[in-house]
Amino acid sequence: MKQRLTFTINGNPVEVYVEPKTLLVEVIRDKLGLTGTKRGCSDSSCGACTVIMNGYSVKSCSVLALQAEGAEIITVEGLAKGTKLSPIQRAFLDHGSYQCGFCTPGMLMSATALFLENPHPTKQEIKEGIDGNICRCTGYNSIVRALMDVSAGKYKEED
Amino acid sequence: MIKDFQYFAPKNLEEALKLLDKYADDCKIICGGQSLLILMRQGLVTPAVVIDIKGLNELDYIKEENGGLKIGATTTHREIEKSELVKKTFPVLSQMEKRLASIQTRNRGSIGGNICHGDPAGDPAPVLISLGASLKLSSVNGDRIVKVEDFYTDYFETVMEHNELLTEIQIPAAPKYTGSAYSKFNIISSDMATVGVAATVTLNGKNGICKDVKIGLGAMAPTARRALKAEKVIRGNKITENLLVKAGEAAAEESEPISDIHASAEYRREVCKVWVKRMVQEAYNRANMD
Amino acid sequence: MSNTKYSVIGKRVHNVDGPAKVTGSAQYTFDLTFPGMLYGKILRSPYPHAKILNIDTSKAEKLIGVKAVVTGKDTLGKKQGIWRRFPELCDEEILCRSKVRYIGDPVAAVAAIDEETAEEALNLIEVEYEPLPAVFDPMEAIKDGAPQIHDGVEMNININRHIEWGNVDEAFEQCDHIREDYFHCSSQAHMCMETHCAVSHYTYDKKLTVWTSTQSNYYIQALLADMLGMREGDIRVIKPHTGGGFGGKFELDSAQFCSALLSMKTCKPVKIVLSREEEFTATKRRTPMYYALKLGAKKDGTLLAKEVRVVTEGGAYTGMGATALYLTGFFSSFPYRYPNYRYDGYRVYTNTAPTSAMRGFGAPQAVWAGEQQIDMMAHDLGIDPIEIRRKNGHVPNYEVPGQAYIQSCGLHQCLDKIEEFVKSRGKLPPNTGIGIAAYGFMSGGIFNWFDTPYAFAAATVRISIDGKVDLYTGANDIGQGSNTTLSMICAEALGVRLEDVRIHSADTGICPNDLGSWGSRETLMNGNAVKMAAEDAKKQLLEIAAVKLKPNIVYDLDIKDCWVHFTNRPERGISYYEVVKDAIRAKDGQNIIGRGYYTPHRKGMISPAYSYGVQAVEVTVDPETGRYTLNQVVTAHESGTVINPVGIEGQLEGAIMMAGGYGYCEDQPMDDGKILNPSVADYKLIRACDMPETKILEIDTYEPEGPFGAKEAGEGLTNPTAGALGNAIFNAVGVRIYNLPATPEKVFRALQEKKAKEKEAKK
């Protein structure tokens, strides 16, 4: 039996009807067509599905859609303001903090959530901030360098 | 693929307990879902009913009472990790939470859910055991208190009745000159414990003898449990290197570790010896600074 | 190289796919949906070895929502493989007809309106198996009486390889010191973030389009054509953004083949995405190997002879495992000038998931064994480990007898740099050690076992009226950045800016053929093709410009930074954009088209060029538990001219994560052919908090064979880390680990054995 679910995603109100067993990531990718958020495992280990829910990073594969009732969700598609990329996105571009790019949306969301909580994290805090996201390509250090520059204030929000 | 189920999101505890009582035999409680959803997605668990208690704010709290702590069962790992109150009263809890899984999991997962899941390699249980903590189990029939060390019966199994809900974790006040430490041994930093050891030491004074000690072991038996024999070696004595080596050996001997893909039973025992020694030492150091 | 001023190459640029990737707008096969698309799932064997007696799909076919079911009976009954030149090595049906050979071998596939229905349908397919005795260890599989896995293959020996020069037996007689050592190299999973997936659409005009996560869309096109009995040109394979490959995605896989079959039955798009569990258990993996090494030297450290014997665990099918067998034997001779060398390798079938190619392609295994043995030899002779390598290392223009011509080689400079680093560390804290490993790796293979009639790489450049350059190349960007590197080469060669170039890659319907991204071939091979195409186009522009500029000869003109000018008087010239307009008008309104291609010719047996490096790994061991931390990894490395510096740094750091994992924690333990850790939770790999600090020391070299002097830098970097780690552990606590991965438990046991031996000795 489908139930009504309402929440906002990237600032936009959404109303869908889902079965209780539907996962949040399925609503995001399959129902809303926001395929930026990825899936890379079956046991909540890889972090590719990370989104921000009510200000915190969560793995959308491990949230029942109905548990997102009334929530504010941000996905990678919501990071840029129009055509203006967020500071973290710009830092990633400059540092080449991605290769195949499949883990990148989840990585960006974990990084964004980290900075929402703490605008000037240390190197260790940055590493811990992205430890829940596996990257098979970069070896993480270019991501850490990008985020350290963001932490040092080298990237500001563009007007 | 998850099997279909009926979903309830009760608005308060009373409603939740009523639902739990009604559907007791074929339902699961979901809160953070960080353990449950993995099992459901793999088809290992197929409840007909799922009761969502994530929205029960009345169970989301950390408060001090008589020098001890009371933590609501739906409190997230991240809340405990970041709580100034926890850092002040029982910093070992915050330190343990900091190494638990990933931030995403901690943002969502609840302490209650973790405890009820009953994974012997889980981080909270050994720590709570070493702190002498208790659990409040509630149902339509009332509440009862069970010590964490008496809570587990087997792998992923507890003494909970089908209609019971874990509502609160109670940590008693620690006497002066008490220190606690926890560490898990693993090879990838965010992994579950290959061996987990928590120790709480109470001295009878600065640099004094050990008045009391509780050691909680994780991943060394079908359940998290106390290393009673190791504690006996230490209790009442001055803590020395030699004593701790003997305690470690006792802990290794009284354990029932398994061999799996991560480590052999013998290796777990060897690590346990070293880890017990180190955690008791660390707890002792902290007790001295109390 | 470093003295020449380049406008584009060597600069730190944004990856051309960057904006798509950092906004989540990059579309992967995983993301694709089409109207009317069906979802496919594959039924796989639960037995490691069994006859298929019967498959009853009737119940599955009747399930509402199921649109097609296929089994081996729906195929042409052919077998395929990458080594097409040797038909006996094309041994994989993919969808099994009569026999299954590993747990996970596909037996049927279903297409349905959604994944859940497809999954349910799989449960309704009844397969009658007759289990057969199975064998899992190659050493057991070659014994008398072992179950025969493929008909007509005696002793389950799939293939053997022999490499030899000089006279090893005579040379051993002259050695002052000989060592014999045995090592084991484990398997490793690619663990691409995007699992294998494909969307196939067979349309009513009898043409097939396949979108797939692949490293070689051309291989997929050719192999599908053969397996489906279709004309190659009627199949179009498109590679969208791809979430990693690492050697696991350039063979025809079950997602591609089954989705194509299902689409042919329904004329609907069919999407198959392998689950992570299927990815771990039923796709190809790194080849595990048993290594027996015999090394002989003079007491002054001159290496005289090396004899290598290898048995590899082949798994159920050949795949690219034959190449790994050959390359491990070849790279076991690297990077030293052995006057006498002999390699015998045997690839043995086993009833386990097939083993094939993974980044390094047999070389990381060779280095794990070989570089530890070199250290052991140095230790025996009382010679410094850097010195012994210096004494015997490859040099520029060295010929590996009968095998390879090394042109550029910066090994010695790398050794110097690492020696400096080690010295700078001074006295290390207790239980801390630095280990080194040296390597050399190929820039693409010369061999044509795929038996392609095409040039190995080809490119077309098309210039439009506004000066925009469309670059068409078959190169497959799997994240290593070939789209960017090749765009940079094109821009440099043509004389325009990077923004003037737009690359179109990996679509067999539009782009020229290319062998794919493996063996680290894209920069050198495709780079050469792209450079040639760009220069071809440039020449056409210069011919037109010459009319206006009137140089003595056309070669006096060049283009740089969009300025067509006299090379000796650069201020005299015209804008590239003007020349383009003139050129198009002059050629009857035709776009300017430049063509290029590259196939290595007379470059030995293996590769046109080799990149070298020396890596130092520093560890601190906790002697009470054997656990250790990877403190830092410093790599001195040369890859000719650096085209894309951001790309190379990324390749190095990523390689350390992967190769470090190979040394430290990644493993696929098995029980009776069943992989015991087919989940990300249980497959240990290095995460951000475990990643060591990394430092790159780039050495300047110039490779004449490569575009602008460039050669490989992606795969070679995975060679040294495990070997260096093994040496580091020894230097830290005096124990040597012979079997990968070097887990804390193994280090602990070795330490206990050492203690016990020391105690015995004291008595």
Side-chain angles (χ1 to χ4, degrees):
Chain A
M1 248 290 275
K2 291 199 177 170
Q3 284 176 235
R4 184 167 169 266
L5 167 66
T6 60
F7 58 95
T8 62
I9 189 154
N10 300 326
N12 304 313
V14 159
E15 182 196 49
V16 290
Y17 286 80
V18 296
E19 274 162 10
K21 66 182 178 181
T22 309
L23 301 169
L24 179 59
V25 67
E26 289 165 347
V27 172
I28 291 171
R29 283 184 55 86
D30 306 331
K31 273 204 162 8
L32 302 178
L34 295 168
T35 56
T37 306
K38 308 293 183 212
R39 300 182 75 170
C41 73
S42 323
D43 53 10
S44 194
S45 300
C46 76
C49 65
T50 304
V51 300
I52 293 177
M53 182 165 154
N54 296 331
Y56 300 110
S57 61
V58 299
K59 294 177 197 170
S60 57
C61 73
S62 302
V63 179
L64 282 179
L66 289 176
Q67 292 189 297
E69 175 61 42
E72 277 178 32
I73 309 276
I74 310 174
T75 67
V76 65
E77 290 89 346
L79 291 181
K81 294 196 170 81
T83 54
K84 293 196 164 60
L85 302 182
S86 76
I88 294 177
Q89 285 174 305
R90 292 187 345 254
F92 268 48
L93 271 183
D94 286 347
H95 288 80
S97 308
Y98 52 88
Q99 287 179 32
C100 83
F102 202 78
C103 80
T104 306
M107 196 67 79
L108 286 166
M109 299 322 291
S110 283
T112 303
L114 170 71
F115 278 85
L116 280 176
E117 234 182 55
N118 176 2
H120 302 288
T122 61
K123 189 173 182 180
Q124 184 59 30
E125 285 168 337
I126 287 170
K127 285 185 174 188
E128 287 164 6
I130 60 169
D131 200 54
N133 292 70
I134 294 178
C135 175
R136 197 47 163 162
C137 298
T138 65
Y140 309 102
N141 290 352
S142 58
I143 298 170
V144 172
R145 285 193 293 270
L147 295 176
M148 280 174 71
D149 273 1
V150 176
S151 181
K154 292 188 184 158
Y155 291 88
K156 301 266 192 294
E157 285 281 353
E158 282 181 336
D159 297 313
Chain B
M1 299 275 145
I2 300 183
K3 219 167 143 253
D4 283 322
F5 56 84
Q6 211 180 354
Y7 171 84
F8 295 102
K11 296 195 184 34
N12 55 51
L13 179 59
E14 198 188 325
E15 205 185 314
L17 292 178
K18 281 203 185 102
L19 282 167
L20 185 52
D21 192 53
K22 182 171 177 195
Y23 295 107
D25 291 326
D26 198 1
C27 88
K28 280 283 179 192
I29 299 288
I30 194 171
C31 186
Q34 300 303 284
S35 304
L36 181 65
L37 284 176
I38 300 176
L39 298 176
M40 287 178 76
R41 284 165 60 190
Q42 290 170 353
L44 295 172
V45 148
T46 53
V49 170
V50 170
I51 300 169
D52 185 355
I53 63 166
K54 184 74 171 156
L56 295 186
N57 292 327
E58 65 196 277
L59 294 183
D60 182 4
Y61 56 86
I62 304 172
K63 54 188 186 216
E64 192 171 2
E65 205 173 275
N66 301 326
L69 274 187
K70 287 196 166 157
I71 303 176
T74 66
T75 309
T76 65
H77 295 288
R78 191 76 165 151
E79 283 172 311
I80 296 171
E81 179 191 343
K82 299 238 144 220
S83 157
E84 289 306 320
L85 179 58
V86 170
K87 285 181 193 168
K88 190 181 76 157
T89 51
F90 295 95
V92 67
L93 276 177
S94 171
Q95 288 148 9
M96 172 272 292
E97 293 289 15
K98 203 165 148 69
R99 291 281 312 280
L100 188 147
S102 62
I103 290 181
Q104 293 97 312
T105 307
R106 303 202 291 278
N107 278 335
R108 202 68 203 146
S110 63
I111 183 81
N114 181 290
I115 292 168
C116 292
H117 182 53
D119 190 330
D123 300 295
V127 177
L128 292 171
I129 286 172
S130 83
L131 293 174
S134 299
L135 307 171
K136 182 162 86 173
L137 309 176
S138 308
S139 74
V140 291
N141 308 119
D143 299 335
R144 62 175 175 134
I145 308 290
V146 175
K147 291 198 93 168
V148 179
E149 67 191 69
D150 299 324
F151 184 64
Y152 298 106
T153 56
D154 206 342
Y155 291 100
F156 304 99
E157 278 177 36
T158 74
V159 300
M160 283 176 81
E161 300 293 343
H162 285 178
N163 71 341
E164 276 183 317
L165 182 70
L166 168 62
T167 47
E168 186 176 82
I169 295 101
Q170 302 170 340
I171 301 163
K176 198 156 162 57
Y177 299 111
T178 299
S180 296
Y182 170 73
S183 172
K184 61 181 165 180
F185 177 91
N186 53 21
I187 58 175
I188 296 297
S189 146
S190 60
D191 265 355
M192 292 206 82
T194 301
V195 173
V197 175
T200 298
V201 164
T202 302
L203 306 174
N204 71 350
K206 204 163 167 69
N207 296 317
I209 60 160
C210 171
K211 203 163 80 170
D212 192 18
V213 61
K214 287 197 188 66
I215 299 172
L217 298 182
M220 291 298 290
T223 70
R225 62 186 195 198
R226 272 175 75 174
L228 292 166
K229 293 204 173 111
E231 291 174 11
K232 214 161 168 204
V233 169
I234 302 170
R235 199 176 283 113
N237 294 317
K238 189 130 175 63
I239 287 183
T240 62
E241 168 93 22
N242 256 341
L243 189 74
L244 294 185
V245 167
K246 285 202 177 70
E249 285 167 0
E253 213 195 289
E254 67 181 306
S255 302
E256 297 167 59
I258 55 164
S259 292
D260 63 14
I261 53 173
H262 304 304
S264 67
E266 303 88 64
Y267 183 58
R268 282 190 155 102
R269 285 202 159 92
E270 295 294 339
V271 172
C272 178
K273 285 181 198 169
V274 177
W275 240 240
V276 163
K277 182 181 69 159
R278 291 183 185 174
M279 286 307 106
V280 175
Q281 180 68 56
E282 178 69 27
Y284 168 77
N285 294 343
R286 291 179 186 193
N288 257 332
M289 295 192 309
D290 202 14
Chain C
M1 111 49 221
S2 51
N3 295 323
T4 319
K5 190 166 173 293
Y6 293 117
S7 296
V8 182
I9 65 175
K11 301 272 188 294
R12 302 186 73 84
V13 301
H14 284 180
N15 185 292
V16 302
D17 297 314
K21 288 178 178 174
V22 304
T23 53
S25 53
Q27 289 271 291
Y28 297 78
T29 309
F30 187 75
D31 302 319
L32 296 179
T33 52
F34 296 94
M37 188 172 84
L38 301 173
Y39 295 83
K41 290 266 174 214
I42 298 171
L43 184 66
R44 300 175 181 279
S45 166
Y47 295 103
H49 199 197
K51 284 197 191 131
I52 300 173
L53 298 176
N54 187 46
I55 306 182
D56 182 355
T57 60
S58 55
K59 290 201 184 89
E61 286 169 44
K62 291 198 189 82
L63 184 66
I64 294 176
V66 169
K67 300 300 179 189
V69 182
V70 293
T71 66
K73 291 204 177 74
D74 298 288
T75 68
L76 296 176
K78 293 177 119 177
K79 297 184 181 181
Q80 56 80 48
I82 294 281
W83 278 53
R84 298 196 303 184
R85 191 156 256 184
F86 302 87
E88 69 276 14
L89 298 180
C90 298
D91 54 10
E92 193 174 0
E93 292 174 312
I94 302 184
L95 203 50
C96 303
R97 286 164 71 87
S98 56
K99 199 170 141 172
V100 292
R101 295 178 175 85
Y102 72 100
I103 298 175
D105 219 350
V107 299
V110 168
I113 52 171
D114 56 45
E115 278 189 73
E116 206 176 327
T117 308
E119 191 79 51
E120 215 184 310
L122 288 188
N123 293 332
L124 297 174
I125 299 176
E126 286 163 1
V127 185
E128 217 183 308
Y129 294 100
E130 182 191 310
L132 299 168
V135 63
F136 311 110
D137 185 327
M139 298 307 204
E140 294 299 312
I142 51 176
K143 288 188 177 152
D144 271 332
Q148 192 177 43
I149 300 175
H150 285 268
D151 290 341
V153 179
E154 295 295 317
M155 292 171 73
N156 290 311
I157 294 180
N158 170 209
I159 183 172
N160 67 290
R161 274 278 166 269
H162 179 82
I163 300 174
E164 184 167 6
W165 63 83
N167 190 322
V168 151
D169 299 309
E170 268 176 30
F172 277 130
E173 305 282 311
Q174 324 211 329
C175 293
D176 294 324
H177 187 61
I178 295 176
R179 283 201 62 97
E180 284 190 61
D181 296 289
Y182 302 87
F183 296 87
H184 183 255
C185 309
S186 50
S187 186
Q188 188 179 17
H190 305 91
M191 241 302 311
C192 302
M193 287 307 289
E194 184 191 25
T195 59
H196 286 65
C197 48
V199 180
S200 293
H201 193 183
Y202 184 79
T203 43
Y204 291 97
D205 57 354
K206 297 189 170 53
K207 297 203 175 25
L208 174 68
T209 307
V210 180
W211 293 262
T212 183
S213 187
T214 181
Q215 296 173 231
S216 175
N217 59 331
Y218 161 60
Y219 277 177
I220 306 310
Q221 177 197 32
L223 292 170
L224 271 178
D226 193 42
M227 289 292 274
L228 300 174
M230 284 181 70
R231 188 173 172 178
E232 221 172 90
D234 285 339
I235 300 180
R236 181 176 175 186
V237 181
I238 301 170
K239 184 202 76 66
H241 287 287
T242 289
F246 312 116
K249 288 182 180 168
F250 62 101
E251 303 179 42
L252 183 62
D253 64 55
S254 55
Q256 293 150 350
F257 186 54
C258 293
S259 65
L261 282 174
L262 289 165
S263 188
M264 286 174 91
K265 257 198 163 175
T266 56
C267 278
K268 293 264 184 287
V270 177
K271 180 176 186 179
I272 296 185
V273 176
L274 295 198
S275 69
R276 184 55 71 183
E277 192 185 337
E278 285 177 291
E279 192 75 4
F280 275 120
T281 56
T283 61
K284 305 211 162 74
R285 56 201 175 97
R286 189 185 288 285
T287 305
M289 301 183 179
Y290 287 95
Y291 251 85
L293 301 177
K294 187 171 171 187
L295 182 67
K298 285 279 197 217
K299 58 174 176 265
D300 70 352
T302 308
L303 300 173
L304 281 192
K306 185 172 183 181
E307 178 190 64
V308 180
R309 287 171 299 141
V310 169
V311 170
T312 77
E313 176 192 326
Y317 303 103
T318 308
M320 285 298 273
T323 313
L325 182 78
Y326 187 39
L327 293 179
T328 205
F330 176 71
F331 285 114
S332 276
S333 78
F334 266 56
Y336 306 110
R337 305 186 310 277
Y338 291 104
N340 306 277
Y341 181 79
R342 182 166 65 218
Y343 165 74
D344 282 290
Y346 296 87
R347 186 176 192 275
V348 179
Y349 284 126
T350 52
N351 291 118
T352 56
T355 66
S356 187
M358 181 165 171
R359 199 168 174 194
F361 225 156
Q365 294 94 319
V367 173
W368 164 253
E371 282 300 282
Q372 287 205 79
Q373 192 183 49
I374 293 283
D375 251 33
M376 288 149 91
M377 177 61 85
H379 193 253
D380 290 349
L381 298 176
I383 295 178
D384 176 77
I386 299 252
E387 205 39 55
I388 198 172
R389 287 169 168 93
R390 198 176 261 140
K391 199 178 178 60
N392 297 282
H394 281 179
V395 291
N397 304 310
Y398 169 67
E399 183 190 329
V400 182
Q403 296 287 314
Y405 305 108
I406 314 290
Q407 292 194 81
S408 67
C409 168
L411 177 64
H412 288 259
Q413 298 96 303
C414 293
L415 283 167
D416 291 342
K417 277 270 187 262
I418 290 298
E419 187 173 44
E420 257 174 59
F421 161 71
V422 174
K423 283 206 176 103
S424 76
R425 289 293 289 139
K427 184 165 156 63
L428 295 169
N431 301 312
T432 299
I434 297 177
I436 65 167
Y439 74 91
F441 196 71
M442 63 201 232
S443 296
I446 282 169
F447 30 85
N448 185 12
W449 299 317
F450 191 70
D451 209 19
T452 182
Y454 294 112
F456 281 19
T460 313
V461 150
R462 181 188 73 171
I463 308 181
S464 302
I465 195 73
D466 63 347
K468 187 76 183 185
V469 182
D470 285 284
L471 168 64
Y472 299 87
T473 160
N476 285 240
D477 192 324
I478 46 173
Q480 88 282 43
S482 57
N483 280 350
T484 304
T485 306
L486 295 174
S487 300
M488 292 170 85
I489 289 173
C490 180
E492 188 70 53
L494 187 49
V496 299
R497 304 161 309 164
L498 187 57
E499 310 87 271
D500 292 304
V501 178
R502 179 175 49 204
I503 188 167
H504 310 265
S505 60
D507 177 341
T508 60
I510 302 171
C511 307
N513 293 74
D514 176 67
L515 302 188
S517 295
W518 55 271
S520 220
R521 55 183 299 284
E522 296 291 21
T523 298
L524 190 142
M525 295 201 184
N526 259 292
N528 275 334
V530 166
K531 185 165 183 275
M532 183 177 162
E535 285 169 350
D536 179 17
K538 181 160 78 172
K539 180 132 188 301
Q540 295 171 57
L541 293 177
L542 295 182
E543 281 164 8
I544 298 299
V547 173
K548 263 204 179 121
L549 294 174
K550 300 190 195 321
N552 212 1
I553 52 171
V554 70
Y555 300 114
D556 287 344
L557 297 179
D558 200 5
I559 313 179
K560 202 168 168 69
D561 300 321
C562 300
W563 180 243
V564 182
H565 59 281
F566 285 85
T567 52
N568 60 348
R569 300 270 304 271
E571 69 280 7
R572 285 188 58 203
I574 4 173
S575 154
Y576 154 82
Y577 299 103
E578 288 304 312
V579 176
V580 165
K581 290 194 180 92
D582 291 343
I584 288 177
R585 290 200 174 92
K587 282 186 189 282
D588 294 344
Q590 296 291 299
N591 293 81
I592 307 301
I593 308 274
R595 297 173 62 181
Y597 54 90
Y598 176 83
T599 300
H601 184 55
R602 297 218 178 101
K603 296 291 167 194
M605 308 269 289
I606 313 295
S607 180
Y610 302 83
S611 296
Y612 289 81
V614 180
Q615 192 170 78
V617 171
E618 184 185 301
V619 304
T620 301
V621 181
D622 173 2
E624 284 193 299
T625 61
R627 188 169 72 170
Y628 54 94
T629 48
L630 292 157
N631 302 339
Q632 58 175 320
V633 178
V634 176
T635 315
H637 161 260
E638 59 97 14
S639 54
T641 303
V642 172
I643 307 280
N644 180 1
V646 177
I648 288 196
E649 280 159 23
Q651 285 297 293
L652 173 78
E653 292 172 339
I656 289 171
M657 179 268 187
M658 190 170 273
Y662 188 46
Y664 176 52
C665 54
E666 294 188 39
D667 197 8
Q668 293 193 288
M670 278 202 215
D671 190 30
D672 288 348
K674 188 177 153 110
I675 291 177
L676 299 174
N677 61 341
S679 69
V680 177
D682 286 332
Y683 184 81
K684 309 227 168 284
L685 37 61
I686 289 175
R687 290 176 181 257
C689 285
D690 315 291
M691 185 68 188
E693 290 301 314
T694 56
K695 196 154 148 207
I696 311 173
L697 306 164
E698 196 69 40
I699 308 291
D700 274 348
T701 51
Y702 184 91
E703 172 49 54
E705 190 60 23
F708 298 107
K711 44 184 178 169
E712 84 85 31
E715 207 173 338
L717 292 162
T718 53
N719 290 185
T721 318
L725 178 62
N727 287 333
I729 292 170
F730 181 81
N731 292 335
V733 287
V735 296
R736 190 152 299 276
I737 307 301
Y738 295 87
N739 304 334
L740 280 167
T743 58
E745 183 165 352
K746 286 180 190 160
V747 175
F748 177 78
R749 289 199 193 290
L751 284 168
Q752 277 191 317
E753 272 171 37
K754 178 166 180 264
K755 253 192 222 135
K757 276 201 190 117
E758 283 166 356
K759 221 173 174 179
E760 269 302 308
K762 279 201 180 116
K763 281 192 190 148

